[in-house]
Amino acid sequence: MPSFRQKFSGFFRQFSAPSESRNDENSSNRFIKKYLSGHGIQKYEPVILHGRTPQEVPPQQLGTIKNFDVISSLTGPHGGLVSVNQTEKHLSASDPEINFIDNLEEECDNGEKKVCTSDSGQKKVGASAMTDETLISESKPNILKKLRHPLVAGVENWNVSDINAYGASCSLYEMHPITHRHTGDPIADCFAIVARVNSAIMVLADGVNWGVKSRTAARSAVHGCVEYLNKTLFPINKEVPKNTTDVLITLLRSFHAAHNMILQEEGTLTTLTAIVVLPSTVDNHYVACCCNVGDSLGYVYSPKYGVRELTQGSHDIHRMRDMRDVMGALGPVDGHNPELSNLTLSITQVDLDDIVFITSDGVSDNLDPVVGHFTGLPNVEAYQRHKLSLLRTEDLIRNGVSGKGPAVDTAKDLVTLLLDFVTRLTAAKRRILEDMEIYADANGKPLAQGEVKQRRKEIIRKMFGVPGKLDHATVVAYKVCSGKRN
């Protein structure tokens, strides 16, 4: 019987050997040569406007929201946002005592105003923004629980799925061959999507590090954000937003609500990305408004223009990024306040049949050409690496994993495809780490936890040449369409 070292070496050689399909000019890697040669790359696409405050982003007028009724709504994994906030705290945009995330000025002793900043000079929520005065009422039991269908985050039923408003999560980590549990459980991601006739809210959070507290942070952030957006953007007998500036202000304040929910539920840290799709004043055109902090990235796939990153302004594409750095997070980073160093607001035009989607870094990092070890890839600059990631994503959406198509047609197809791709890409690492010899001796007796940990570390150090990154992976997507959902 071959030793683990022999099995590892043999498997690595098998995986690393260039297969016929990988070297085939018609394979999915053809986009690399096209890009590097300057051919076949779309040079024009709808512009993405972004800034640190709503006022920095040029406003666009909005069209009419046809109907406030929720057509489809979905959250996850394993209950998603429904699993937190057993008591409600209510925020009101009209209350004079509210000090929202976009209103950071405080009165100094001399009457002058100051802005609280982090060490990096970026805006950060001041301590006064996190006091009990920011809450309208004391925590109290949710009386709606007595009803047959209580509202949760402004939605009556969170299990109304739709092929064009969909999300899903999975773990890319290895499964312990004895306990049959995934490393890194529970999944610390959370998503939610709410679709109406011609509008949608989509939110994704990725808890920082592992554990129940990280999962609680992600679920709490999504709950607080979605609840505020539903109540403010789709109010009963109140004025709706007229332009994108109004929407960006609402998104920013929903992040304040998300942070407060994390503190209430005693979670730790999480990224958060929220996108609202609303009709434009031009027929068959829409606007995607986004707010994000951290490294959960938002995209738009257009059958005409390809894939572009809506959250591009939140990170410098001309610098190589350390993928271990989430760049920003909600939750008590310093014991109470969030870290908003890369908080970014963005808008872009989207058209009918475009698909807007958000991914956790377990997906976006595995679409990176360096992490994925794409064949035929020379040394590239940071901006080229970013562009190749977008082209890799576009190629997958248009041609599938096989490279032979067909192109995805629904949001559910896109979610399923991306999760399938990253699962396949990381299969080699999982198979190596699931070998029984890491966890048991020759007689099958389980090894001590310390010895298992040491063996696992040694194997991981040798896997630098194996493609993919093990992580939790989540995608939520919405296909822009006007009318009845499926």
Side-chain angles (χ1 to χ4, degrees):
M1 181 178 179
S3 67
F4 179 76
R5 183 184 298 274
Q6 291 172 325
K7 286 190 288 185
F8 177 86
S9 300
F11 183 75
F12 181 77
R13 284 195 301 269
Q14 176 186 355
F15 189 87
S16 300
S19 66
E20 181 180 351
S21 63
R22 288 190 182 127
N23 287 332
D24 187 349
E25 183 65 27
N26 294 321
S27 73
S28 59
N29 286 311
R30 63 186 177 274
F31 70 89
I32 296 177
K33 291 185 177 180
K34 280 188 175 182
Y35 173 68
L36 295 177
S37 64
H39 298 295
I41 304 303
Q42 178 68 47
K43 296 182 179 180
Y44 303 101
E45 61 186 17
V47 66
I48 297 172
L49 304 172
H50 62 84
R52 298 293 182 182
T53 68
Q55 292 72 28
E56 290 180 9
V57 183
Q60 295 185 15
Q61 294 301 115
L62 297 174
T64 303
I65 300 173
K66 290 183 178 180
N67 195 307
F68 284 7
D69 293 341
V70 174
I71 293 178
S72 62
S73 50
L74 187 67
T75 186
H78 310 303
L81 64 78
V82 179
S83 304
V84 295
N85 191 33
Q86 300 305 310
T87 59
E88 286 192 348
K89 292 184 178 181
H90 302 281
L91 285 167
S92 172
S94 61
D95 193 283
E97 297 299 320
I98 290 291
N99 187 4
F100 281 106
I101 210 168
D102 60 322
N103 184 20
L104 305 178
E105 295 179 338
E106 296 177 326
E107 290 291 338
C108 298
D109 293 338
N110 59 5
E112 296 179 353
K113 293 184 176 181
K114 63 181 180 180
V115 177
C116 295
T117 60
S118 64
D119 293 339
S120 61
Q122 300 293 345
K123 290 186 178 179
K124 193 171 186 178
V125 173
S128 66
M130 298 300 149
T131 63
D132 291 338
E133 293 178 355
T134 65
L135 302 175
I136 295 302
S137 64
E138 297 293 328
S139 177
K140 59 184 179 181
N142 182 359
I143 60 174
L144 292 175
K145 286 183 178 180
K146 298 179 181 179
L147 302 178
R148 183 177 179 182
H149 298 291
L151 293 179
V152 178
V155 174
E156 184 176 3
N157 186 350
W158 277 104
N159 193 30
V160 183
S161 61
D162 186 279
I163 60 172
N164 286 319
Y166 193 76
S169 302
C170 69
S171 176
L172 302 179
Y173 290 107
E174 75 278 7
M175 181 180 290
H176 195 293
I178 298 176
T179 65
H180 301 292
R181 293 182 179 178
H182 285 282
T183 298
D185 275 352
I187 295 176
D189 296 352
C190 182
F191 71 86
I193 183 165
V194 183
R196 293 172 169 86
V197 173
N198 65 339
S199 62
I201 295 171
M202 50 197 304
V203 183
L204 186 149
D206 180 357
V208 178
N209 297 320
W210 294 347
V212 173
K213 289 285 188 178
S214 293
R215 180 180 65 179
T216 298
R219 289 175 168 180
S220 301
V222 173
H223 191 297
C225 177
V226 171
E227 181 174 43
Y228 188 84
L229 291 175
N230 271 323
K231 289 181 178 179
T232 307
L233 295 178
F234 305 96
I236 299 176
N237 299 325
K238 290 184 180 180
E239 187 175 354
V240 298
K242 299 297 184 183
N243 55 52
T244 54
T245 301
D246 294 340
V247 177
L248 294 179
I249 290 173
T250 301
L251 278 165
L252 205 52
R253 292 179 172 181
S254 76
F255 273 45
H256 179 95
H259 180 76
N260 277 342
M261 186 71 73
I262 295 171
L263 298 182
Q264 173 188 312
E265 299 295 317
E266 299 182 347
T268 50
L269 310 179
T270 184
T271 70
L272 186 64
T273 299
I275 299 176
V276 178
V277 179
L278 295 168
S280 170
T281 54
V282 180
D283 289 343
N284 296 327
H285 289 276
Y286 294 75
V287 180
C289 302
C290 175
C291 182
N292 78 292
V293 63
D295 60 358
S296 298
L297 307 181
Y299 303 87
V300 177
Y301 164 66
S302 165
K304 181 178 180 180
Y305 300 109
V307 174
R308 61 190 188 274
E309 186 198 335
L310 182 53
T311 51
Q312 180 175 309
S314 65
H315 56 100
D316 187 354
I317 65 171
H318 295 282
R319 295 180 60 185
M320 292 293 185
R321 184 172 72 84
D322 181 358
M323 292 185 177
R324 296 169 296 181
D325 180 11
V326 299
M327 300 184 288
L330 297 184
V333 174
D334 64 358
H336 204 72
N337 298 315
E339 175 52 65
L340 306 178
S341 56
N342 82 321
L343 177 73
T344 305
L345 299 162
S346 312
I347 64 172
T348 191
Q349 173 189 306
V350 292
D351 302 324
L352 285 176
D353 296 329
D354 285 359
I355 301 178
V356 183
F357 61 103
I358 310 172
T359 72
S360 65
D361 65 327
V363 176
S364 58
D365 285 353
N366 277 309
L367 291 166
D368 179 273
V370 176
V371 176
H373 291 201
F374 299 164
T375 60
L377 182 65
N379 292 329
V380 293
E381 300 293 333
Y383 74 93
Q384 294 176 313
R385 183 174 173 180
H386 177 262
K387 184 62 178 179
L388 284 169
S389 297
L390 298 180
L391 292 172
R392 162 80 276 188
T393 308
E394 178 188 345
D395 188 78
L396 275 172
I397 295 172
R398 292 190 188 276
N399 302 301
V401 176
S402 68
K404 299 178 181 179
V408 302
D409 186 53
T410 69
K412 185 175 182 179
D413 288 342
L414 184 144
V415 171
T416 303
L417 173 70
L418 292 184
L419 292 181
D420 177 61
F421 172 76
V422 298
T423 300
R424 290 170 183 260
L425 181 69
T426 53
K429 283 190 172 179
R430 277 193 303 281
R431 287 179 60 182
I432 292 170
L433 291 172
E434 288 172 350
D435 192 284
M436 183 64 78
E437 291 188 23
I438 300 176
Y439 306 92
D441 61 20
N443 298 319
K445 182 180 179 181
L447 298 173
Q449 186 175 358
E451 188 171 354
V452 171
K453 187 175 181 180
Q454 183 60 34
R455 289 191 179 191
R456 193 173 181 277
K457 279 185 177 180
E458 292 175 0
I459 296 302
I460 289 175
R461 280 198 295 266
K462 298 176 182 178
M463 290 199 305
F464 66 93
V466 181
K469 168 192 167 185
L470 302 183
D471 204 341
H472 299 138
T474 300
V475 186
V476 61
Y478 170 73
K479 182 175 180 179
V480 182
C481 52
S482 178
K484 187 177 180 180
R485 315 300 295 185
N486 297 307

